[in-house]
Amino acid sequence: MSRSGELFASLPSGIDLCYETFGDPDDPAILLIMGLGGPMGWWTPEFCEQLAGRGFFVIRYDNRDTGRSTKLRQHPVSRVDVVRAFTGLPVLGRVTPPYTLSDLAGDALGLLDHLGIERAHLVGISMGGMIAQTIAIEHPSQALSLTSIMSTTGRRTVGFQHPKVYPVMLSSSGRTRESYVERSLKGSKVIGSPAFPTDEESARARAFETYDRGWTASGVTRQMLAILTQPDRTEALRRLELPALVIHGLSDVLVHRSGGKATADAIPGAEHLEIAGMAHDLPVQLYSTVIDAIVRTTERVHGGATR
C-alpha cells in the first residue's frame, strides 16, 4: 500500500494544509474531511488503508486551525462570541465568524487543485459533512459523490445537541497536555458509541497525538463559530444531482439523528443508513460497514469500476 507521509499544500488563500495520501493516484479520489477540532489522524491509517484497498486514492488532511495546518491566531475569539452565535438573539449582537464553511470548502478544493484532481468523492464527518455538503452545493462539477456522516443541514430545528453534552463542550481543557487528554477522555465517554466502545488506551493515544500535532482551543472556537453561523442548506440540497449517502448513529447525542434524516430527506435519491448503538464517533468495529456503504455509493457513479 502506497502511503505518502505528511505533505503540505500552500494554497493561494495563504492557508497551508497538511495532508497525506494512501493508494494509487490513478484510482478515483476520495477526500476525507474531518469534523470540529479533529486532525486528519481521526481518520485512522487502518480506515484509510482499507478504503484505498477497495480501489481508491484516499486523501486525508488537517482543516485550517487543526493539526499542522495554518492556525489563524490573528483572529481572537471568545466563549462570549460562541454564546452569541448559539443563541442568535439580535439583542446580543450579530457575530461575524473569522471564516465560514464556504471558506473551509474552498480549502478542500484548493487541496484537490494542488494534487491535480478535478473531481473527487467527498466523505465528511460532522463538521466535515457540512463542508462536504457545501462543496457539492457550491461546486457541483467537482463532486462525484457525497457521503455525509453524523452531520446535519444547518437548520436549527434538527441535528441539535443533548443537554448533557454542554458541560463537556464548554469546559476548559486546561493549559497542559495532560489536562487536555483527561478532558478528551471525558468527552469521548459522553459522545462515544455505547454499543461499540473504544478502549481507553486507544482513546488516550489518539488524544496525545491530537494535542502533539498542534491542538489549539482558539482554533476549535473559530471552527465552532463557522458551524453556528452556517446557513440552512435544505433547499440547496434538494437541487443536488449526485449519488449520496447519509450515515447516522441512533445514539448520537452531539448531533441528533434528526440531522441525518433531514439531510437524507433533502437530497434526491440519497441512501439513509442509520446504525443502532453508534453515536458521534467512528468505531473500528464499524469500519467495514461504513466502507462498504461508501463504496456502494461511489459505484453509482463508476458503475462498479472500483476494484
Side-chain angles (χ1 to χ4, degrees):
M1 173 68 63
S2 176
R3 180 175 176 180
S4 69
E6 293 192 5
L7 300 169
F8 286 87
S10 295
L11 308 185
S13 62
I15 298 292
D16 291 333
L17 294 185
C18 184
Y19 71 95
E20 186 172 27
T21 66
F22 298 77
D24 187 341
D26 291 330
D27 284 335
I30 287 186
L31 184 66
L32 302 178
I33 312 173
M34 188 38 72
L36 176 68
M40 64 180 174
W42 290 10
W43 298 105
T44 66
E46 293 77 14
F47 182 88
C48 296
E49 289 167 357
Q50 289 181 36
L51 193 53
R54 299 291 291 272
F56 296 98
F57 182 54
V58 178
I59 308 152
R60 65 176 188 172
Y61 71 101
D62 295 326
N63 282 304
R64 62 170 73 180
D65 269 329
T66 58
R68 294 190 173 128
S69 291
T70 295
K71 309 296 191 304
L72 298 176
R73 295 185 176 91
Q74 69 271 31
H75 297 289
V77 290
S78 69
R79 292 188 185 181
V80 174
D81 295 321
V82 172
V83 172
R84 288 166 58 203
F86 182 80
T87 60
L89 295 175
V91 68
L92 295 179
R94 184 176 180 85
V95 176
T96 301
Y99 50 81
T100 66
L101 289 181
S102 291
D103 294 321
L104 292 167
D107 290 347
L109 292 171
L111 175 56
L112 292 179
D113 288 343
H114 173 82
L115 292 169
I117 296 171
E118 294 183 358
R119 306 181 73 194
H121 299 284
L122 308 173
V123 178
I125 280 182
S126 196
M127 181 185 78
M130 303 169 195
I131 296 169
Q133 292 174 30
T134 302
I135 295 171
I137 290 168
E138 297 181 356
H139 307 274
S141 65
Q142 294 182 261
L144 285 170
S145 71
L146 168 65
T147 297
S148 181
I149 305 172
M150 60 187 86
S151 193
T152 186
T153 63
R155 178 172 289 179
R156 287 293 186 101
T157 55
V158 298
F160 42 82
Q161 298 78 40
H162 191 284
K164 73 178 182 180
V165 306
Y166 295 148
V168 176
M169 291 177 64
L170 298 176
S171 66
S172 171
S173 59
R175 297 181 177 273
T176 68
R177 184 174 185 254
E178 288 70 25
S179 63
Y180 166 79
V181 170
E182 292 308 313
R183 177 184 178 274
S184 178
L185 292 176
K186 290 179 182 178
S188 296
K189 290 177 181 178
V190 173
I191 67 173
S193 297
F196 309 100
T198 299
D199 66 90
E200 185 168 323
E201 182 179 354
S202 297
R204 186 178 296 274
R206 188 180 83 161
F208 276 126
E209 179 186 20
T210 299
Y211 185 88
D212 292 342
R213 291 191 71 257
W215 181 86
T216 62
S218 64
V220 174
T221 304
R222 284 186 286 273
Q223 290 185 354
M224 191 176 295
L225 287 176
I227 293 172
L228 292 173
T229 57
Q230 69 182 299
D232 179 358
R233 291 178 297 279
T234 304
E235 291 307 314
L237 290 171
R238 297 191 198 284
R239 297 190 291 272
L240 291 182
E241 297 179 354
L242 81 174
L245 165 69
V246 177
I247 301 176
H248 219 103
L250 297 182
S251 300
D252 196 335
V253 296
L254 188 59
V255 179
H256 188 266
R257 59 188 285 195
S258 58
K261 184 178 187 304
T263 305
D265 286 347
I267 302 174
E271 177 185 352
H272 187 199
L273 175 60
E274 292 187 310
I275 301 177
M278 177 183 176
H280 205 79
D281 58 354
L282 185 57
V284 64
Q285 300 96 317
L286 292 176
Y287 282 5
S288 60
T289 299
V290 172
I291 289 172
D292 284 348
I294 292 172
V295 173
R296 185 165 63 243
T297 304
T298 66
E299 287 178 341
R300 292 165 59 189
V301 176
H302 293 291
T306 54
R307 288 196 297 270

mmCIF file of all heavy atoms in Angstrom, residues 230-266:
data_model
loop_
_atom_site.group_PDB
_atom_site.id
_atom_site.type_symbol
_atom_site.label_atom_id
_atom_site.label_comp_id
_atom_site.label_asym_id
_atom_site.label_seq_id
_atom_site.Cartn_x
_atom_site.Cartn_y
_atom_site.Cartn_z
ATOM 1 N N GLN A 230 -23.602 28.889 10.190
ATOM 2 C CA GLN A 230 -23.835 28.301 8.875
ATOM 3 C C GLN A 230 -25.264 28.548 8.415
ATOM 4 O O GLN A 230 -26.176 28.702 9.231
ATOM 5 C CB GLN A 230 -23.562 26.796 8.908
ATOM 6 C CG GLN A 230 -24.574 25.990 9.726
ATOM 7 C CD GLN A 230 -24.257 24.519 9.787
ATOM 8 O OE1 GLN A 230 -24.212 23.847 8.777
ATOM 9 N NE2 GLN A 230 -24.013 24.010 10.994
ATOM 10 N N PRO A 231 -25.483 28.564 7.105
ATOM 11 C CA PRO A 231 -26.844 28.719 6.590
ATOM 12 C C PRO A 231 -27.601 27.393 6.625
ATOM 13 O O PRO A 231 -27.008 26.327 6.799
ATOM 14 C CB PRO A 231 -26.608 29.153 5.141
ATOM 15 C CG PRO A 231 -25.321 28.454 4.773
ATOM 16 C CD PRO A 231 -24.479 28.495 6.023
ATOM 17 N N ASP A 232 -28.895 27.486 6.469
ATOM 18 C CA ASP A 232 -29.723 26.295 6.291
ATOM 19 C C ASP A 232 -29.585 25.855 4.827
ATOM 20 O O ASP A 232 -29.999 26.577 3.918
ATOM 21 C CB ASP A 232 -31.177 26.627 6.634
ATOM 22 C CG ASP A 232 -32.119 25.430 6.455
ATOM 23 O OD1 ASP A 232 -31.654 24.355 6.034
ATOM 24 O OD2 ASP A 232 -33.321 25.596 6.739
ATOM 25 N N ARG A 233 -29.007 24.673 4.614
ATOM 26 C CA ARG A 233 -28.742 24.209 3.246
ATOM 27 C C ARG A 233 -29.873 23.360 2.670
ATOM 28 O O ARG A 233 -29.735 22.802 1.572
ATOM 29 C CB ARG A 233 -27.441 23.372 3.236
ATOM 30 C CG ARG A 233 -26.193 24.177 3.500
ATOM 31 C CD ARG A 233 -24.961 23.273 3.532
ATOM 32 N NE ARG A 233 -25.028 22.303 4.621
ATOM 33 C CZ ARG A 233 -24.711 22.578 5.887
ATOM 34 N NH1 ARG A 233 -24.284 23.789 6.215
ATOM 35 N NH2 ARG A 233 -24.813 21.662 6.825
ATOM 36 N N THR A 234 -30.973 23.221 3.357
ATOM 37 C CA THR A 234 -32.017 22.270 2.957
ATOM 38 C C THR A 234 -32.448 22.445 1.505
ATOM 39 O O THR A 234 -32.462 21.478 0.728
ATOM 40 C CB THR A 234 -33.239 22.387 3.883
ATOM 41 O OG1 THR A 234 -32.830 22.204 5.242
ATOM 42 C CG2 THR A 234 -34.279 21.336 3.515
ATOM 43 N N GLU A 235 -32.813 23.650 1.127
ATOM 44 C CA GLU A 235 -33.302 23.869 -0.232
ATOM 45 C C GLU A 235 -32.200 23.642 -1.263
ATOM 46 O O GLU A 235 -32.458 23.098 -2.350
ATOM 47 C CB GLU A 235 -33.879 25.279 -0.370
ATOM 48 C CG GLU A 235 -35.168 25.480 0.417
ATOM 49 C CD GLU A 235 -36.216 24.415 0.080
ATOM 50 O OE1 GLU A 235 -36.416 24.150 -1.129
ATOM 51 O OE2 GLU A 235 -36.808 23.856 1.015
ATOM 52 N N ALA A 236 -30.973 24.030 -0.940
ATOM 53 C CA ALA A 236 -29.865 23.807 -1.871
ATOM 54 C C ALA A 236 -29.573 22.312 -2.020
ATOM 55 O O ALA A 236 -29.233 21.844 -3.118
ATOM 56 C CB ALA A 236 -28.620 24.537 -1.384
ATOM 57 N N LEU A 237 -29.735 21.554 -0.932
ATOM 58 C CA LEU A 237 -29.512 20.105 -1.006
ATOM 59 C C LEU A 237 -30.538 19.446 -1.920
ATOM 60 O O LEU A 237 -30.238 18.444 -2.576
ATOM 61 C CB LEU A 237 -29.584 19.483 0.402
ATOM 62 C CG LEU A 237 -28.434 19.828 1.352
ATOM 63 C CD1 LEU A 237 -28.752 19.329 2.758
ATOM 64 C CD2 LEU A 237 -27.122 19.215 0.865
ATOM 65 N N ARG A 238 -31.727 19.992 -1.988
ATOM 66 C CA ARG A 238 -32.779 19.429 -2.849
ATOM 67 C C ARG A 238 -32.400 19.502 -4.324
ATOM 68 O O ARG A 238 -32.938 18.752 -5.149
ATOM 69 C CB ARG A 238 -34.101 20.153 -2.621
ATOM 70 C CG ARG A 238 -34.682 20.022 -1.232
ATOM 71 C CD ARG A 238 -36.114 20.545 -1.171
ATOM 72 N NE ARG A 238 -36.537 20.814 0.185
ATOM 73 C CZ ARG A 238 -36.888 19.884 1.071
ATOM 74 N NH1 ARG A 238 -36.849 18.617 0.725
ATOM 75 N NH2 ARG A 238 -37.271 20.226 2.291
ATOM 76 N N ARG A 239 -31.470 20.384 -4.654
ATOM 77 C CA ARG A 239 -31.087 20.571 -6.057
ATOM 78 C C ARG A 239 -29.868 19.742 -6.463
ATOM 79 O O ARG A 239 -29.442 19.805 -7.621
ATOM 80 C CB ARG A 239 -30.822 22.057 -6.321
ATOM 81 C CG ARG A 239 -32.063 22.940 -6.130
ATOM 82 C CD ARG A 239 -31.827 24.347 -6.636
ATOM 83 N NE ARG A 239 -30.872 25.081 -5.804
ATOM 84 C CZ ARG A 239 -31.211 25.802 -4.728
ATOM 85 N NH1 ARG A 239 -32.487 25.874 -4.348
ATOM 86 N NH2 ARG A 239 -30.299 26.469 -4.057
ATOM 87 N N LEU A 240 -29.324 18.970 -5.537
ATOM 88 C CA LEU A 240 -28.143 18.177 -5.859
ATOM 89 C C LEU A 240 -28.502 17.042 -6.812
ATOM 90 O O LEU A 240 -29.579 16.435 -6.717
ATOM 91 C CB LEU A 240 -27.518 17.588 -4.590
ATOM 92 C CG LEU A 240 -26.844 18.574 -3.632
ATOM 93 C CD1 LEU A 240 -26.231 17.823 -2.461
ATOM 94 C CD2 LEU A 240 -25.778 19.389 -4.352
ATOM 95 N N GLU A 241 -27.572 16.747 -7.712
ATOM 96 C CA GLU A 241 -27.751 15.650 -8.667
ATOM 97 C C GLU A 241 -26.486 14.798 -8.649
ATOM 98 O O GLU A 241 -25.663 14.860 -9.560
ATOM 99 C CB GLU A 241 -28.020 16.197 -10.070
ATOM 100 C CG GLU A 241 -29.299 17.010 -10.179
ATOM 101 C CD GLU A 241 -29.526 17.548 -11.582
ATOM 102 O OE1 GLU A 241 -28.631 17.387 -12.441
ATOM 103 O OE2 GLU A 241 -30.605 18.134 -11.830
ATOM 104 N N LEU A 242 -26.337 14.018 -7.595
ATOM 105 C CA LEU A 242 -25.191 13.116 -7.481
ATOM 106 C C LEU A 242 -25.544 12.007 -6.498
ATOM 107 O O LEU A 242 -26.440 12.166 -5.669
ATOM 108 C CB LEU A 242 -23.944 13.873 -7.011
ATOM 109 C CG LEU A 242 -23.748 14.176 -5.510
ATOM 110 C CD1 LEU A 242 -22.387 14.795 -5.277
ATOM 111 C CD2 LEU A 242 -24.836 15.054 -4.930
ATOM 112 N N PRO A 243 -24.870 10.854 -6.595
ATOM 113 C CA PRO A 243 -25.112 9.791 -5.624
ATOM 114 C C PRO A 243 -24.747 10.277 -4.225
ATOM 115 O O PRO A 243 -23.691 10.888 -4.019
ATOM 116 C CB PRO A 243 -24.177 8.670 -6.085
ATOM 117 C CG PRO A 243 -23.908 8.957 -7.514
ATOM 118 C CD PRO A 243 -23.903 10.456 -7.634
ATOM 119 N N ALA A 244 -25.627 10.010 -3.274
ATOM 120 C CA ALA A 244 -25.393 10.493 -1.916
ATOM 121 C C ALA A 244 -25.740 9.423 -0.894
ATOM 122 O O ALA A 244 -26.666 8.628 -1.084
ATOM 123 C CB ALA A 244 -26.203 11.759 -1.650
ATOM 124 N N LEU A 245 -24.984 9.439 0.187
ATOM 125 C CA LEU A 245 -25.170 8.524 1.308
ATOM 126 C C LEU A 245 -25.159 9.340 2.585
ATOM 127 O O LEU A 245 -24.299 10.200 2.767
ATOM 128 C CB LEU A 245 -24.036 7.493 1.338
ATOM 129 C CG LEU A 245 -23.851 6.661 2.620
ATOM 130 C CD1 LEU A 245 -25.020 5.688 2.806
ATOM 131 C CD2 LEU A 245 -22.521 5.902 2.566
ATOM 132 N N VAL A 246 -26.103 9.077 3.470
ATOM 133 C CA VAL A 246 -26.158 9.742 4.762
ATOM 134 C C VAL A 246 -26.125 8.665 5.839
ATOM 135 O O VAL A 246 -26.984 7.776 5.878
ATOM 136 C CB VAL A 246 -27.431 10.593 4.909
ATOM 137 C CG1 VAL A 246 -27.494 11.225 6.295
ATOM 138 C CG2 VAL A 246 -27.474 11.676 3.826
ATOM 139 N N ILE A 247 -25.114 8.732 6.706
ATOM 140 C CA ILE A 247 -24.947 7.766 7.795
ATOM 141 C C ILE A 247 -25.114 8.492 9.119
ATOM 142 O O ILE A 247 -24.536 9.567 9.328
ATOM 143 C CB ILE A 247 -23.564 7.087 7.746
ATOM 144 C CG1 ILE A 247 -23.364 6.353 6.420
ATOM 145 C CG2 ILE A 247 -23.392 6.133 8.914
ATOM 146 C CD1 ILE A 247 -21.975 5.739 6.256
ATOM 147 N N HIS A 248 -25.884 7.889 10.019
ATOM 148 C CA HIS A 248 -26.056 8.500 11.336
ATOM 149 C C HIS A 248 -26.275 7.407 12.385
ATOM 150 O O HIS A 248 -26.917 6.393 12.122
ATOM 151 C CB HIS A 248 -27.250 9.452 11.346
ATOM 152 C CG HIS A 248 -27.011 10.693 12.138
ATOM 153 N ND1 HIS A 248 -26.729 11.911 11.573
ATOM 154 C CD2 HIS A 248 -26.973 10.904 13.481
ATOM 155 C CE1 HIS A 248 -26.545 12.825 12.512
ATOM 156 N NE2 HIS A 248 -26.702 12.231 13.696
ATOM 157 N N GLY A 249 -25.699 7.644 13.548
ATOM 158 C CA GLY A 249 -25.905 6.728 14.661
ATOM 159 C C GLY A 249 -27.182 7.059 15.408
ATOM 160 O O GLY A 249 -27.496 8.235 15.630
ATOM 161 N N LEU A 250 -27.893 6.041 15.827
ATOM 162 C CA LEU A 250 -29.142 6.257 16.553
ATOM 163 C C LEU A 250 -28.911 6.713 17.984
ATOM 164 O O LEU A 250 -29.847 7.135 18.661
ATOM 165 C CB LEU A 250 -29.982 4.971 16.542
ATOM 166 C CG LEU A 250 -30.448 4.494 15.162
ATOM 167 C CD1 LEU A 250 -31.315 3.244 15.290
ATOM 168 C CD2 LEU A 250 -31.209 5.597 14.448
ATOM 169 N N SER A 251 -27.658 6.644 18.457
ATOM 170 C CA SER A 251 -27.341 7.042 19.834
ATOM 171 C C SER A 251 -26.553 8.346 19.881
ATOM 172 O O SER A 251 -25.952 8.666 20.905
ATOM 173 C CB SER A 251 -26.549 5.927 20.530
ATOM 174 O OG SER A 251 -27.277 4.719 20.582
ATOM 175 N N ASP A 252 -26.546 9.105 18.795
ATOM 176 C CA ASP A 252 -25.750 10.332 18.718
ATOM 177 C C ASP A 252 -26.363 11.420 19.598
ATOM 178 O O ASP A 252 -27.497 11.839 19.383
ATOM 179 C CB ASP A 252 -25.676 10.814 17.265
ATOM 180 C CG ASP A 252 -24.579 11.829 17.023
ATOM 181 O OD1 ASP A 252 -24.178 12.515 17.986
ATOM 182 O OD2 ASP A 252 -24.120 11.933 15.871
ATOM 183 N N VAL A 253 -25.595 11.892 20.594
ATOM 184 C CA VAL A 253 -26.070 12.959 21.476
ATOM 185 C C VAL A 253 -25.513 14.322 21.082
ATOM 186 O O VAL A 253 -25.988 15.349 21.564
ATOM 187 C CB VAL A 253 -25.721 12.665 22.955
ATOM 188 C CG1 VAL A 253 -26.438 11.423 23.440
ATOM 189 C CG2 VAL A 253 -24.208 12.546 23.152
ATOM 190 N N LEU A 254 -24.510 14.355 20.221
ATOM 191 C CA LEU A 254 -23.920 15.631 19.813
ATOM 192 C C LEU A 254 -24.640 16.224 18.603
ATOM 193 O O LEU A 254 -24.862 17.434 18.535
ATOM 194 C CB LEU A 254 -22.430 15.455 19.504
ATOM 195 C CG LEU A 254 -21.657 16.746 19.243
ATOM 196 C CD1 LEU A 254 -21.743 17.677 20.453
ATOM 197 C CD2 LEU A 254 -20.206 16.446 18.901
ATOM 198 N N VAL A 255 -24.989 15.382 17.644
ATOM 199 C CA VAL A 255 -25.814 15.803 16.503
ATOM 200 C C VAL A 255 -26.967 14.804 16.418
ATOM 201 O O VAL A 255 -26.782 13.662 15.984
ATOM 202 C CB VAL A 255 -25.013 15.818 15.186
ATOM 203 C CG1 VAL A 255 -25.917 16.232 14.031
ATOM 204 C CG2 VAL A 255 -23.823 16.767 15.284
ATOM 205 N N HIS A 256 -28.133 15.223 16.848
ATOM 206 C CA HIS A 256 -29.284 14.326 16.901
ATOM 207 C C HIS A 256 -29.556 13.694 15.537
ATOM 208 O O HIS A 256 -29.326 14.321 14.494
ATOM 209 C CB HIS A 256 -30.517 15.092 17.386
ATOM 210 C CG HIS A 256 -31.695 14.235 17.666
ATOM 211 N ND1 HIS A 256 -32.678 13.990 16.730
ATOM 212 C CD2 HIS A 256 -32.054 13.528 18.777
ATOM 213 C CE1 HIS A 256 -33.601 13.198 17.243
ATOM 214 N NE2 HIS A 256 -33.252 12.898 18.485
ATOM 215 N N ARG A 257 -30.049 12.478 15.562
ATOM 216 C CA ARG A 257 -30.303 11.727 14.328
ATOM 217 C C ARG A 257 -31.233 12.467 13.365
ATOM 218 O O ARG A 257 -31.221 12.197 12.157
ATOM 219 C CB ARG A 257 -30.917 10.365 14.676
ATOM 220 C CG ARG A 257 -32.221 10.475 15.435
ATOM 221 C CD ARG A 257 -32.756 9.171 15.955
ATOM 222 N NE ARG A 257 -33.342 8.362 14.907
ATOM 223 C CZ ARG A 257 -34.135 7.312 15.151
ATOM 224 N NH1 ARG A 257 -34.399 6.946 16.391
ATOM 225 N NH2 ARG A 257 -34.636 6.623 14.156
ATOM 226 N N SER A 258 -32.006 13.405 13.882
ATOM 227 C CA SER A 258 -32.885 14.198 13.008
ATOM 228 C C SER A 258 -32.081 14.981 11.978
ATOM 229 O O SER A 258 -32.586 15.282 10.893
ATOM 230 C CB SER A 258 -33.737 15.159 13.847
ATOM 231 O OG SER A 258 -32.910 16.027 14.615
ATOM 232 N N GLY A 259 -30.832 15.308 12.304
ATOM 233 C CA GLY A 259 -29.985 15.993 11.339
ATOM 234 C C GLY A 259 -29.672 15.121 10.141
ATOM 235 O O GLY A 259 -29.696 15.578 8.991
ATOM 236 N N GLY A 260 -29.385 13.855 10.400
ATOM 237 C CA GLY A 260 -29.140 12.927 9.308
ATOM 238 C C GLY A 260 -30.392 12.673 8.488
ATOM 239 O O GLY A 260 -30.333 12.629 7.248
ATOM 240 N N LYS A 261 -31.520 12.514 9.173
ATOM 241 C CA LYS A 261 -32.776 12.260 8.456
ATOM 242 C C LYS A 261 -33.128 13.445 7.563
ATOM 243 O O LYS A 261 -33.544 13.266 6.402
ATOM 244 C CB LYS A 261 -33.912 11.995 9.437
ATOM 245 C CG LYS A 261 -35.232 11.622 8.752
ATOM 246 C CD LYS A 261 -36.324 11.317 9.752
ATOM 247 C CE LYS A 261 -37.572 10.785 9.039
ATOM 248 N NZ LYS A 261 -38.078 11.702 7.995
ATOM 249 N N ALA A 262 -32.951 14.657 8.077
ATOM 250 C CA ALA A 262 -33.261 15.843 7.285
ATOM 251 C C ALA A 262 -32.352 15.942 6.065
ATOM 252 O O ALA A 262 -32.793 16.340 4.975
ATOM 253 C CB ALA A 262 -33.131 17.096 8.150
ATOM 254 N N THR A 263 -31.092 15.568 6.237
ATOM 255 C CA THR A 263 -30.152 15.593 5.119
ATOM 256 C C THR A 263 -30.565 14.587 4.052
ATOM 257 O O THR A 263 -30.612 14.903 2.857
ATOM 258 C CB THR A 263 -28.722 15.285 5.602
ATOM 259 O OG1 THR A 263 -28.369 16.187 6.654
ATOM 260 C CG2 THR A 263 -27.725 15.404 4.464
ATOM 261 N N ALA A 264 -30.864 13.360 4.489
ATOM 262 C CA ALA A 264 -31.259 12.315 3.543
ATOM 263 C C ALA A 264 -32.576 12.650 2.858
ATOM 264 O O ALA A 264 -32.754 12.389 1.662
ATOM 265 C CB ALA A 264 -31.362 10.977 4.267
ATOM 266 N N ASP A 265 -33.510 13.235 3.606
ATOM 267 C CA ASP A 265 -34.799 13.601 3.015
ATOM 268 C C ASP A 265 -34.636 14.696 1.970
ATOM 269 O O ASP A 265 -35.388 14.754 0.990
ATOM 270 C CB ASP A 265 -35.761 14.087 4.105
ATOM 271 C CG ASP A 265 -36.290 12.948 4.969
ATOM 272 O OD1 ASP A 265 -36.109 11.774 4.581
ATOM 273 O OD2 ASP A 265 -36.868 13.240 6.035
ATOM 274 N N ALA A 266 -33.640 15.563 2.164
ATOM 275 C CA ALA A 266 -33.474 16.701 1.255
ATOM 276 C C ALA A 266 -32.800 16.307 -0.057
ATOM 277 O O ALA A 266 -33.156 16.833 -1.117
ATOM 278 C CB ALA A 266 -32.669 17.801 1.943
#
